Structure formats: structure tokens, C-alpha cells
Amino acid sequence: MRRIMPQPGSIRPRLFPIISCAVILFVLCTPKSKLIAAQAAEAPKTSQATEPNTESDPPVFVGDFVGDGLSLSVQRAGGEYAGKLTKAGRAFDFKGNSKDGVLHGSFEAANGVLTFTAAVQGDELKINIGFESYKLTRVGRHGVPQGGTIRKETLLADSENVLRNSEIASPDNMRVAFITSDDGVRRVVVNGVEGKPYARVYGITFSPDSKRISYVAERSDGSRVVVTDGVEGEAFKYLSTRPPLFSPDGKRLAYTAWVDDKWHVIVDGNKSKPYDGIKALTFSPDSAQLAFAGKTAGSWRVVVNDVEHDPIPDLDNDFLLFSPDNKRLVYTATSEGGQRIYVNGVAGKRYDAVSGFMFSDDGRRHACIVLRDRRHVVLIDGEETGDYDSVQGLAFSPDGSRIAVGVRQDAKGYAVLDGQKQHPFDGVGRPAFSPDSRHFAYIAIHDRGQRVVLGDKVGPPHDQIHFLTFSPDSKRLAYTAVDGKSGSIVVDGKPVQKYDRVWSKGIRFSPDSKHVIVTAGLDGGVYVNVDGQPSAPIGNFIMGSEPVFEGSDRFHIVIRRDSRYFRLDVKMDDQESVRD
């Protein structure tokens, strides 16, 4: 099982210098409502910059441009130009005309009408506002890089009164769901289609195959129901605050309900025996087994398909883990002041503490970190290996044949590969293997900086490094880096774009490993970066929405722009942009 874990902290640098001109800074940071009010009191009624255009020049200015923290969208109608200039999330409408190959424009500001000039050479635009100059690059229509992409936006929903943080995209990015609230009435909306009204709604979840949707609803009489694909289940007095749980194949559904002063698991519409408490509902990878922990008579028991294991004092960390081959169920429980690992209900050796249990992808091997007499020991397939001051993490190779561990011993950090210590550093992070299992990489602290170590090659220093990501063909490596107040995406050892925020799992390679897609933020805007080419600000990403590839040259993602939700489809290596 491969999990590339982010380092602590978040990337929030500001990447562009503050505008030195006080007038321009004031203008671009002033709310639009104040601009309008000030314009009514101070702005002149006409401006030389908006005189009628008498030239028959080609529309080289038409399009979208982005760079230096600005974006400029230009249209042409009736011989004149108009559009929006955006800085730090604030948009200003402008009008203008061209003369001698230069666009002259103006927009309303708090202290009157400000003017600008812009000139285009190829796909590069230079704009002067007051005493400041900015360099922008042409991007595809509606914000996709022009350098070889087609972007298509499909409207999924348009709705006001959406509850904050209630939005969720289906795993295939074809549907978006959210909760609306209007005069105390709440509804779930899926791709613009409203569900029934309820007093309260929570826990929206899609099935892994994206075909089904379920949530918990409270009716006007106070009873609660699980609504699945628009159909209400049995009514109960109370339901768990956790969302309903779909099985991996999407065909089964489980949740907990309060009946006759006891908790029951409801799975496929059937009730389990009653318990005083229930936690850690978990399906096996093949969806055939359902496990949970149930409390009765003061003790907890792990239950698998209604068969109870021997009692334990408590289940640690609500942790139940099936092996990928479905043959083993692992959990840890407190025992005699320490912890024990249980495999299919059979207790193992007692340790002071147990953490980080994991299976290899094929389910044949397992490993974890245990604490014994204040020393950290790596337990591999039940055998104790190594004795360290601390362990930072461990990883199996995808084929299960190798294991790498990040450790600290005698004031030095090491990566330990198949039991052999690698080069010493001041500290190391959790290792990551390439998909072909031949390469491994990790983050090392050296000379007061963080560096990526790939095999025996040590990369350049950065203040912080996050999100190590191998390409599917194992030949490329990407990550995010922070230096001072500047954050960047590094691909194949070279910085390709600067940002101030990158989402978890925000770096993706295409299936053929040729393209790198990054979802990131900069100066309040949200961008999709394809092969180092940023889009114009596209809106906001939706929870659960990650780039989904259709072949090697297409992907799609769900975004929100104001009250509208879109599926953004991108085809790479073509030369035009289209929109529904």
C-alpha cells in the first residue's frame, strides 16, 4: 500500500511583490461597492481613452491573458473593446479602443477613472497601469492554456443559498451535490435537481462507482431517515452523525441507528443485534464482509458478518483494516497498560504502543511500528527488525518485494532500504516507491534545508517540500517546494510554476506520463496548470473533485464559479477552445 504523506504545514506564501504605487494598490483592493459610490461623487463623465475606434485593426487584443497576479479578459463589439481586469479576486469592468497597435482603456476606481495601455506581441501582453507594468500571457478562451489544450465547460447546477462546505463531487466528476437552505427548509440538490424538503440534512456521500448517492435527513416530526437515490429508508429516532457507508462495489449500504434505547447496524436494510455503542464500520475490499466494533456489558467486541470476536477493553483509534486480499482483519486494542495487534481476532505480543500498521498492495505482507522500552522497532511480517530512536514512516514497494523506512538514530536521519541504511542526513521523512518498485525517494533535511533524495541523487535545497509524486512510468518525479514566501511546482528537478497553495493530491501525471496537471491557488485565484502553463482563474474546486483522466490526453474536474457549478473538460495537445 503506497501512501505519499504531506509534511506538516501548508503553503501560503505571497508570490508577487506588493504594488508600489499607493494609488494603484488602493484601487485594486477597494470593494466594488465603494468604487461605485466614489465614482458617483468623483469620476468624470467621459474619458479620452474611450473615444470611438476609427481603425480597422485586427482583434489581437481579444482573448484572456494572465500573469504577475493579474488577469485580463478582452472582448470586441462595434469597433470598441470591453472586458474585465482582475486582481486578487476583485474584478473591474473596463472599456477602450486601439490606436497605433496599442489598447487604451479605462476602469472606474475609488478616486475616479484610471486609464491603462496595453500592447500585444504574439501571445505576450504588456499592460501599464499608472506607474506599474505587468507582463501577461494569452491563455485559451475561458481560461485554459492556449498552448495545446481545448477546454469545455458544462453547466451542472446553478443555485443560491448553498450551505457552506456542503458541496461534494462524485468520484467520476460527472455529478455535484450540495445542500440548500431557504426559510429553514433544506434540500439536497444533485446536478440542479432538487430533492424533498427536510428540516435538516447532513452526510452526503456518493458510492465509489459514482452511481448512487445517500444522505441523512430529519423530517418535520423529528424522525430521521437515510435517503438513498431519492428513496427514504426506515424512520428512526436517531441516526449516527457519520455519513452512510457504501461498500467498495457500491451495491451495499450500512449505517447505525438508535432503536429501543440501543444502537444497531443497518446493512442492506437488515438490523444487527443491539449494542450499547457501535463504531468503525468497515467493508472488506471485495464488499463481502462488514466489520464493526460493538460494546455490550462494558466490553467491546469486533463483529464480522454478525460473528463476534472475543471481548477487548477497547478498540484503539477506531481502527479496523482488512488486507487487500480480504483474508485478514487487523486491529489494535489496549492490553495491560500497552497495546496488542489482533489478526482475525487472535491477539499478538504486547508492546508499549503500536502505530502505522499497513499491508503490501497484494496483501501478503504487513508491517508496523512498535514501541518497546522507549525504543522504536519496525515489525515486518511479525518479525522485529531494527531498533531506533524514532521512526518517521514506512512504505512497501508496489510489488511487495521491498520495504523502506525513515528512521532517526544517534542524532542522524537515515532511509533504511531492505534493512540497509542509506546516506546519513540531519533528518528524513517517509519514503515513497515508484510504481515499478525500482526507485524510491524521500525528503531529507540537510544544511538547514529540505532536499529530495532519489536513489543516490540529492536535489537542491528548499525551505519546505511536499507531495512527492512519481509518474505512472516511474521515470518522472514532481513535488511542491517553498522558499521564503515563494511556492513552486518542481517537475523533473526544474521549477515550472509559482503558486501560494497546492491542494492535497493536487499533482497528477497523465496515464502515459507525458503531461503534469496541477490544481493550485495564487493571489486568491484558483488555477489548473497543464505542463507548466497556468489557466486564468477558474473559480473554486469542489470537495472530492480531483482530475479524472479519460485516456492519456483528456481529464475533467468540477469547479464552482459564484453560484454556478461546472464540469471542466480539458483535452491536451489541440489548438482551440470550445464551450457549451
Side-chain angles (χ1 to χ4, degrees):
M1 179 179 292
R2 304 185 306 278
R3 297 175 185 170
I4 301 174
M5 302 295 290
Q7 297 291 310
S10 60
I11 304 175
R12 299 291 298 177
R14 294 184 62 183
L15 299 185
F16 296 108
I18 296 174
I19 299 173
S20 59
C21 174
V23 172
I24 303 304
L25 178 61
F26 176 74
V27 168
L28 297 180
C29 296
T30 303
K32 187 173 181 180
S33 60
K34 292 185 178 180
L35 291 179
I36 294 173
Q39 186 265 345
E42 304 176 28
K45 300 301 181 181
T46 61
S47 169
Q48 184 178 357
T50 58
E51 291 177 357
N53 179 31
T54 58
E55 295 187 76
S56 57
D57 60 322
V60 294
F61 301 106
V62 173
D64 295 327
F65 301 83
V66 62
D68 280 1
L70 290 176
S71 67
L72 187 72
S73 180
V74 185
Q75 295 86 39
R76 188 183 188 192
E80 294 188 348
Y81 291 90
K84 288 185 181 295
L85 184 152
T86 303
K87 168 67 176 177
R90 299 192 182 280
F92 303 91
D93 295 325
F94 73 84
K95 293 182 179 180
N97 63 78
S98 65
K99 184 176 182 180
D100 298 328
V102 177
L103 175 64
H104 298 260
S106 64
F107 58 91
E108 299 173 352
N111 58 337
V113 173
L114 289 185
T115 62
F116 67 85
T117 60
V120 173
Q121 184 173 2
D123 284 335
E124 301 298 320
L125 179 143
K126 182 178 180 181
I127 182 171
N128 298 297
I129 309 174
F131 299 107
E132 296 294 325
S133 296
Y134 304 86
K135 290 183 179 181
L136 285 68
T137 301
R138 187 190 303 273
V139 296
R141 193 170 128 207
H142 306 301
V144 168
Q146 186 117 344
T149 63
I150 289 179
R151 173 175 132 169
K152 176 182 177 182
E153 290 181 348
T154 302
L155 181 65
L156 299 179
D158 186 354
S159 184
E160 303 286 349
N161 305 319
V162 176
L163 289 185
R164 186 178 180 182
N165 298 326
S166 70
E167 309 149 322
I168 183 171
S170 60
D172 64 2
N173 281 338
M174 301 303 287
R175 295 197 287 173
V176 62
F178 47 80
I179 302 169
T180 61
S181 179
D182 187 11
D183 292 332
V185 175
R186 297 190 176 183
R187 302 173 187 266
V188 170
V189 179
V190 183
N191 277 15
V193 179
E194 292 186 336
K196 292 179 59 176
Y198 293 102
R200 184 186 177 207
V201 176
Y202 62 90
I204 301 176
T205 184
F206 281 99
S207 60
D209 62 6
S210 301
K211 294 179 180 179
R212 308 178 69 191
I213 185 171
S214 187
Y215 56 89
V216 178
E218 182 179 320
R219 301 193 295 197
S220 57
D221 62 1
S223 63
R224 299 182 183 186
V225 294
V226 170
V227 182
T228 305
D229 301 328
V231 179
E232 294 182 353
E234 183 179 351
F236 298 98
K237 184 176 182 180
Y238 299 115
L239 290 170
S240 171
T241 56
R242 298 195 176 191
L245 178 69
F246 279 107
S247 59
D249 64 7
K251 296 179 180 179
R252 307 182 68 190
L253 184 72
Y255 54 93
T256 57
W258 182 261
V259 182
D260 298 329
D261 297 327
K262 294 286 184 179
W263 287 104
H264 299 252
V265 172
I266 312 297
V267 58
D268 305 328
N270 300 312
K271 295 187 185 71
S272 71
K273 65 175 289 185
Y275 293 93
D276 297 326
I278 291 173
K279 59 184 179 181
L281 288 179
T282 306
F283 277 106
S284 60
D286 65 1
S287 304
Q289 303 176 75
L290 175 67
F292 63 90
K295 184 178 183 180
T296 182
S299 295
W300 288 87
R301 295 174 183 265
V302 170
V303 184
V304 184
N305 285 357
D306 296 327
V307 177
E308 295 182 341
H309 290 181
D310 290 337
I312 55 177
D314 197 0
L315 179 70
D316 293 331
N317 302 317
D318 293 355
F319 172 77
L320 290 174
L321 180 66
F322 279 101
S323 60
D325 61 6
N326 308 292
K327 294 180 179 179
R328 287 174 286 180
L329 176 68
V330 173
Y331 52 93
T332 61
T334 302
S335 175
E336 302 170 0
Q339 289 181 301
R340 294 180 187 270
I341 301 171
Y342 289 74
V343 180
N344 291 341
V346 178
K349 183 178 178 180
R350 176 196 167 279
Y351 291 98
D352 297 333
V354 179
S355 64
F357 194 98
M358 67 186 309
F359 284 104
S360 60
D361 284 356
D362 60 10
R364 296 179 181 180
R365 305 187 66 190
H366 56 85
C368 66
I369 305 163
V370 298
L371 183 66
R372 183 191 61 197
D373 299 327
R374 298 185 180 181
R375 302 290 294 172
H376 291 79
V377 178
V378 179
L379 204 63
I380 303 176
D381 300 327
E383 298 293 327
E384 296 181 4
T385 64
D387 184 301
Y388 307 105
D389 297 336
S390 64
V391 177
Q392 307 306 315
L394 47 85
F396 278 110
S397 61
D399 64 6
S401 65
R402 312 176 76 186
I403 187 168
V405 186
V407 306
R408 186 167 183 81
Q409 189 173 38
D410 300 327
K412 288 292 182 180
Y414 302 87
V416 180
L417 178 63
D418 299 327
Q420 300 297 315
K421 284 184 181 178
Q422 307 298 299
H423 186 82
F425 293 98
D426 296 329
V428 299
R430 183 180 184 274
F433 279 98
S434 61
D436 65 3
S437 302
R438 297 176 58 188
H439 311 286
F440 83 108
Y442 55 94
I443 300 168
I445 301 174
H446 182 62
D447 290 340
R448 298 182 179 181
Q450 294 187 6
R451 303 167 184 260
V452 171
V453 182
L454 178 59
D456 58 358
K457 298 179 180 179
V458 181
H462 300 282
D463 293 345
Q464 298 178 42
I465 296 173
H466 306 269
F467 308 135
L468 293 182
T469 307
F470 277 102
S471 61
D473 66 2
S474 303
K475 296 179 180 180
R476 308 180 72 187
L477 181 67
Y479 57 89
T480 64
V482 179
D483 293 289
K485 295 183 178 181
S486 175
S488 60
I489 310 300
V490 180
V491 182
D492 302 328
K494 300 177 181 178
V496 297
Q497 188 65 39
K498 291 187 175 182
Y499 288 108
D500 59 20
R501 181 167 50 143
V502 174
W503 276 255
S504 176
K505 300 183 182 179
I507 301 176
R508 292 293 183 94
F509 283 94
S510 59
D512 63 1
S513 302
K514 293 181 179 179
H515 304 287
V516 184
I517 290 83
V518 179
T519 52
L522 174 64
D523 283 348
V526 176
Y527 301 80
V528 174
N529 182 300
V530 180
D531 297 330
Q533 296 293 321
S535 67
I538 61 171
N540 293 284
F541 297 119
I542 304 303
M543 183 179 69
S545 180
E546 300 169 3
V548 173
F549 284 91
E550 303 174 68
S552 293
D553 64 345
R554 301 169 184 264
F555 70 90
H556 58 269
I557 194 167
V558 177
I559 62 170
R560 174 176 58 81
R561 191 178 301 124
D562 298 322
S563 65
R564 308 177 78 192
Y565 297 81
F566 298 90
R567 186 181 71 248
L568 178 69
D569 294 89
V570 177
K571 183 179 186 300
M572 296 168 281
D573 296 327
D574 281 297
Q575 298 299 320
E576 58 181 304
S577 176
V578 296
R579 179 177 179 177
D580 271 358

